Amino acid sequence: MLRHLFIKNFTLIDKLDIDLYEGFSVITGETGAGKSIVLGAIGLLLGQRADSKTVMKGAEKCVVEAHFDLSRYDLKPFFTENDIEYDADDTIVRRELTAAGKSRAFINDTPVALTMLRELGERLVDVHSQHQNLLLQKQDFQLSLVDIIADDAAQQAAYRQAFEDYHHACQQLQQLQTDLEQSRQQTDFLQFQFDELTQARFVSGEQEELEQRSDTMSHAEDIKTALYEADVALSGDSHGIVAALKSATSALHGVERVFPSAGELAGRMESSYIELKDIAQEVSARMEDIDFDPAELDSVNERLDRLYELQKKYHAGSVEALIALRDELGQKLAAIENSDEAVSELQARCQKLKADCQKLAGALTKVRQKAAHQIEEELRQRLIPLGMPHVRFTVNIEPTELRSNGQDQVAFLFSANTSTPLQPVAQVASGGEIARVMLSLKAMISGAVKLPTIIFDEIDTGVSGKMAECMARIMQEMGGHGRQVLSITHLPQIAALGTHHYKVYKEETAEGTVSYMRELTADERIGEIAQMLSGSDISDAAIQNAKELLRMK
């Protein structure tokens, strides 16, 4: 419930600081006095878009703040999920807008995103204006009303999950069929590529080995010459390093007895001798391995040319990449070969999921049909006192294809008299009739939705006299059981039945036009309602009529 509203520097409102109460309250004022401005400020608290032009001229920023009592409503999970401090007795929602266009939102002094403010606002306040009557033209809105009365959230959740599974499976089937159709059109080409790569008989690592062999054989003469020169230097008969090192070692051993240091040197030279002798033997052996074979070189280069050709053709950087491509093509061909089986399996899954959806949708339809009968009966009972003694109202539910909200198409059919056939309510009902239908529907669902605050913005357009009083009685009823109903009205019959009466008015100041809102005293209410009855010239009869209307509450 909205307990307190504070507005500062918003359009024509310099400062508004006012308490509000549970039950049925009314707000009156002349056209243009600023009632829509108050609603606009409340709209900011509900997460509507902000415009810097709404900041009062000359002010740096505007502030709109509301205090809510949520003690009778189960909203704690919202605060817990969003990590916001919860105070059931005094929840503070604030919106700030600077002249530069910067907007900030707070819930209990915690900065929040506009989407979060909007989510909470939808649970706190329902603003019903004249344009909302146009919702009766929309079948989704009509279906949502039926679902509210049916209290079928659990059935909807079960169906929605089944529908999502079914829809996802259908998408998979469609994608598989599309992919397979494209693949079938390319089967011959894929098979040619696979055969070509398979016939190449790739071996991982072969390219590096072949490149090394080609390079070696291409420089065979240079390699043999270098090995020959190294062999002569190491093992030559006359000047070989190995033989000379062996002689030097023997010479040092010969004087080791008289020159001990020679033994140490000889030992070091023996190690070098052993290493060089081993190197000399390996050089000699390598000389035997190097043999230039033109036919083998041609064969190696031919294989490399083939590898390079395939890499260029398939945009691959290595033999390993070609192997991976070959395996991928093989998998695609195998998938095409087994495609019928895969499609059949997925089709069977889709059929099963569709059957599950239809079963849950059927259960949902039964719940909705039961609620539809309840709506028809209760709405007729509410509309008869509102000047429609011969009203007929039917909630028509027709089957349709499976959709995210079930397989039901809902239409509200209406006739105000016995001679007119039932037709969609938005097509045949007058503005006043639609207003009465919407009010009756709101009265029905207000208890089910458990909204703390409902605001009616001139919903009484097109009605007067006794009908206005009946509509006011309905709003009184809605304001019971801890709920709060505010009605912005131009009708004295409605204004007189409010427990609390607020007036919005304008005054000219040195700074310009300023709008104000205040709660009227008992005597002020008499004058306000008398003025609504007779205009600016208040007669004694108007005052007497105002008193009579006020006694009726």
Side-chain angles (χ1 to χ4, degrees):
M1 183 187 74
L2 178 57
R3 294 195 301 107
H4 188 83
L5 181 64
F6 175 81
I7 304 172
K8 186 174 180 59
N9 297 331
F10 182 75
T11 310
L12 299 180
I13 298 177
D14 176 32
K15 183 178 179 181
L16 173 64
D17 199 2
I18 197 163
D19 291 325
L20 297 162
Y21 307 93
E22 71 176 58
F24 178 45
S25 300
V26 294
I27 302 173
T28 61
E30 295 180 359
T31 301
K35 299 186 294 297
S36 61
I37 297 175
V38 176
L39 273 184
I42 293 175
L44 284 182
L45 293 175
L46 303 183
Q48 293 179 5
R49 293 185 61 183
D51 186 344
S52 60
K53 295 179 181 177
T54 58
V55 179
M56 179 174 273
K57 186 177 180 181
E60 293 183 359
K61 71 175 181 178
C62 73
V63 178
V64 183
E65 181 176 288
H67 293 245
F68 290 89
D69 179 356
L70 306 181
S71 57
R72 299 176 184 176
Y73 301 90
D74 186 21
L75 292 177
K76 186 176 181 179
F78 171 87
F79 292 83
T80 303
E81 291 168 8
N82 293 289
D83 195 24
I84 299 173
E85 182 182 353
Y86 177 63
D87 186 342
D89 297 322
D90 188 22
T91 292
I92 304 172
V93 178
R94 185 170 76 257
R95 186 86 178 270
E96 298 178 357
L97 177 64
T98 67
K102 184 177 180 180
S103 173
R104 297 196 301 169
F106 303 85
I107 300 175
N108 288 337
D109 289 326
T110 299
V112 297
L114 203 59
T115 53
M116 189 180 299
L117 184 69
R118 190 176 300 120
E119 182 182 352
L120 178 61
E122 290 174 350
R123 305 186 189 189
L124 296 179
V125 181
D126 175 29
V127 178
H128 183 94
S129 57
Q130 294 180 54
H131 77 270
Q132 201 176 25
N133 292 336
L134 298 176
L135 291 173
L136 274 180
Q137 300 177 7
K138 300 183 178 181
Q139 291 182 342
D140 286 346
F141 175 73
Q142 297 175 9
L143 178 59
S144 67
L145 289 179
V146 172
D147 283 330
I148 290 172
I149 300 301
D151 192 20
D152 57 11
Q155 291 93 332
Q156 283 193 72
Y159 171 80
R160 194 158 41 244
Q161 183 60 58
F163 180 79
E164 288 176 3
D165 293 342
Y166 167 60
H167 184 63
H168 180 62
C170 289
Q171 287 181 319
Q172 287 182 312
L173 176 60
Q174 184 178 6
Q175 187 62 50
L176 176 61
Q177 291 173 327
T178 299
D179 292 344
L180 290 174
E181 181 61 28
Q182 293 175 349
S183 296
R184 286 192 179 101
Q185 294 173 0
Q186 301 176 353
T187 301
D188 291 342
F189 181 59
L190 294 175
Q191 188 66 55
F192 168 78
Q193 290 182 314
F194 177 73
D195 291 342
E196 183 176 46
L197 294 175
T198 301
Q199 291 166 6
R201 300 181 182 278
F202 299 118
V203 177
S204 181
E206 68 170 317
Q207 181 175 332
E208 292 77 9
E209 181 182 346
L210 291 171
E211 287 173 341
Q212 182 61 53
R213 288 174 60 190
S214 174
D215 201 32
T216 298
M217 286 190 287
S218 297
H219 298 82
E221 289 301 322
D222 294 336
I223 296 171
K224 290 194 71 170
T225 299
L227 289 173
Y228 174 75
E229 291 176 356
D231 184 59
V232 170
L234 289 168
S235 305
D237 292 339
S238 57
H239 301 290
I241 295 173
V242 175
L245 190 58
K246 183 178 181 181
S247 297
T249 302
S250 297
L252 288 174
H253 277 305
V255 295
E256 182 179 358
R257 186 176 62 81
V258 294
F259 185 54
S261 296
E264 180 184 350
L265 293 171
R268 292 168 60 188
M269 292 178 71
E270 280 181 348
S271 298
S272 299
Y273 168 75
I274 294 171
E275 178 66 16
L276 285 173
K277 184 178 179 182
D278 184 64
I279 292 173
Q281 290 173 345
E282 188 167 345
V283 167
S284 179
R286 294 289 179 88
M287 285 178 60
E288 299 298 327
D289 292 339
I290 301 301
D291 188 19
F292 177 69
D293 183 348
E296 183 181 357
L297 179 60
D298 288 344
S299 176
V300 169
N301 287 335
E302 182 180 345
R303 176 61 174 174
L304 283 172
D305 288 343
R306 180 58 174 162
L307 294 180
Y308 295 149
E309 177 189 357
L310 291 173
Q311 287 176 28
K312 181 178 180 180
K313 179 177 181 179
Y314 290 100
H315 305 287
S318 64
V319 168
E320 285 68 26
L322 289 172
I323 293 173
L325 177 59
R326 178 200 64 197
D327 294 343
E328 181 183 342
L329 290 169
Q331 291 172 0
K332 285 185 177 181
L333 290 168
I336 294 172
E337 185 176 347
N338 299 321
S339 60
D340 291 341
E341 181 180 349
V343 169
S344 296
E345 290 178 358
L346 201 47
Q347 285 176 332
R349 173 171 166 75
C350 287
Q351 288 299 319
K352 180 184 180 305
L353 291 174
K354 182 178 181 179
D356 293 341
C357 278
Q358 290 173 328
K359 181 178 179 180
L360 291 170
L364 191 55
T365 298
K366 289 182 180 179
V367 175
R368 286 169 172 168
Q369 288 172 337
K370 182 178 179 181
H373 295 315
Q374 178 184 342
I375 293 171
E376 292 169 350
E377 182 58 31
E378 185 172 342
L379 201 63
R380 279 193 292 268
Q381 295 303 317
R382 289 183 176 275
L383 289 174
I384 289 173
L386 291 177
M388 300 184 193
H390 305 295
V391 67
R392 288 180 292 156
F393 188 90
T394 299
V395 180
N396 190 47
I397 300 179
E398 296 289 342
T400 184
E401 72 280 0
L402 290 172
R403 298 182 295 186
S404 59
N405 57 6
Q407 58 177 7
D408 301 315
Q409 181 171 293
V410 172
F412 287 176
L413 305 180
F414 172 86
S415 174
N417 50 66
T418 56
S419 61
T420 303
L422 285 166
Q423 295 184 55
V425 61
Q427 297 178 16
V428 297
S430 65
E433 288 169 342
I434 287 181
R436 283 174 273 176
V437 169
M438 281 298 290
L439 177 60
S440 299
L441 287 171
K442 286 279 184 176
M444 287 180 60
I445 67 175
S446 60
V449 175
K450 296 182 179 179
L451 274 170
T453 300
I454 302 173
I455 301 175
F456 290 105
D457 180 18
E458 299 183 4
I459 192 176
D460 47 46
T461 299
V463 298
S464 60
K466 185 65 176 178
M467 293 309 99
E469 180 188 338
C470 291
M471 291 179 70
R473 295 294 183 192
I474 291 177
M475 286 185 272
Q476 270 188 326
E477 174 196 339
M478 294 172 65
H481 309 291
R483 285 191 293 274
Q484 180 184 50
V485 175
L486 299 171
S487 176
I488 297 174
T489 181
H490 288 292
L491 298 181
Q493 293 86 352
I494 292 179
L497 292 181
T499 305
H500 298 271
H501 188 157
Y502 302 87
K503 181 176 181 178
V504 179
Y505 58 97
K506 289 192 301 188
E507 289 184 358
E508 296 297 328
T509 68
E511 291 76 22
T513 304
V514 179
S515 289
Y516 299 94
M517 175 177 167
R518 64 183 179 85
E519 185 176 2
L520 299 180
T521 64
D523 289 339
E524 289 172 333
R525 289 191 72 180
I526 294 173
E528 175 70 7
I529 293 172
Q531 186 175 9
M532 295 172 74
L533 285 166
S534 64
S536 56
D537 295 328
I538 302 176
S539 64
D540 291 339
I543 292 176
Q544 190 61 37
N545 287 339
K547 290 179 179 179
E548 289 295 329
L549 286 175
L550 285 167
R551 277 195 290 267
M552 290 173 61
K553 70 176 183 177

